[in-house]
Amino acid sequence: MRHKLWTLFSSMLVISAFTFGGGFVIVSLMKKKLVDELGWLEEEEMLDMTALAQSAPGPIAVNAAILAGRRIAGVPGMLAAVTGTLIPPLLIIGAISLIYAQFRDNEWVRAAMAGMSCGVAAVISDVVLGLGGKVVRGRDALSIGLMVLAFVLTYFCKVNVIFIILGAAVLGAVRAALATKAGDRG
């Protein structure tokens, strides 16, 4: 158990320390580590955890660490994952806050930030294609339609994502209730 907790803590520490771009980037790297490399979670579980982490209040990276850590090793796993996730940004932000005023107008710093933005866009695109591709491969017309509708409402109609999440949750609950009811009859 200690080895698993150490691996979970150190994996989250490294992911959090060397990732720029926020929660979605960290979640994609969590998926690669916890699903693809270590095999501790199924891809479907990670997809569900990502949806829950996004819809819960707070940073998506911390929410995903809570869910993944608890699923992998209970409360100790949750604490290990969250601690590993929080240490790097707290140290980095603390250090940056001390010197930010000196460097905020530096053209090299601005260029570096612009370059990192391009990298972040690429990683987020990879996550979208990976997770969205799984939905499409599942060939569930309702899920595919919901994914497309959510994109259209968010991107073109500027609907707040919380309303889309709530609508998807209601639709999912109705779908589950109907499936349960159909299973009771059959």
Side-chain angles (χ1 to χ4, degrees):
M1 179 68 147
R2 283 185 189 174
H3 176 70
K4 185 179 258 191
L5 290 174
W6 173 251
T7 302
L8 185 58
F9 169 79
S10 61
S11 296
M12 297 306 294
L13 185 77
V14 168
I15 289 169
S16 184
F18 297 103
T19 305
F20 288 91
F24 287 111
V25 177
I26 290 175
V27 168
S28 70
L29 295 175
M30 284 175 62
K31 183 241 179 229
K32 287 179 181 171
K33 184 69 172 184
L34 302 177
V35 175
D36 300 338
E37 187 179 319
L38 296 172
W40 288 346
L41 298 171
E42 297 294 321
E43 191 166 334
E44 188 67 31
E45 286 178 300
M46 195 68 211
L47 182 62
D48 292 343
M49 286 180 194
T50 302
L52 285 171
Q54 181 183 6
S55 61
I60 188 172
V62 174
N63 293 342
I66 290 169
L67 295 168
R70 186 156 195 286
R71 171 67 179 87
I72 291 167
V75 173
M78 177 183 68
L79 295 173
V82 168
T83 303
T85 301
L86 288 176
I87 288 173
L90 290 175
L91 293 176
I92 292 168
I93 290 171
I96 289 173
S97 71
L98 297 175
I99 60 172
Y100 176 72
Q102 298 169 351
F103 293 101
R104 72 175 163 225
D105 296 326
N106 184 296
E107 67 183 77
W108 290 96
V109 171
R110 277 187 290 189
M113 297 304 276
M116 284 189 273
S117 295
C118 295
V120 168
V123 172
I124 290 174
S125 296
D126 178 55
V127 171
V128 168
L129 293 173
L131 295 176
K134 180 158 178 54
V135 171
V136 171
R137 283 190 301 277
R139 296 190 177 155
D140 177 16
L142 182 60
S143 295
I144 294 169
L146 186 58
M147 185 173 65
V148 170
L149 179 63
F151 173 77
V152 168
L153 290 173
T154 304
Y155 189 77
F156 295 108
C157 301
K158 307 297 184 209
V159 173
N160 189 316
V161 73
I162 194 68
F163 296 119
I164 294 169
I165 292 169
L166 290 173
V170 168
L171 184 60
V174 168
R175 186 177 191 187
L178 292 174
T180 302
K181 197 173 197 180
D184 291 344
R185 281 191 241 146

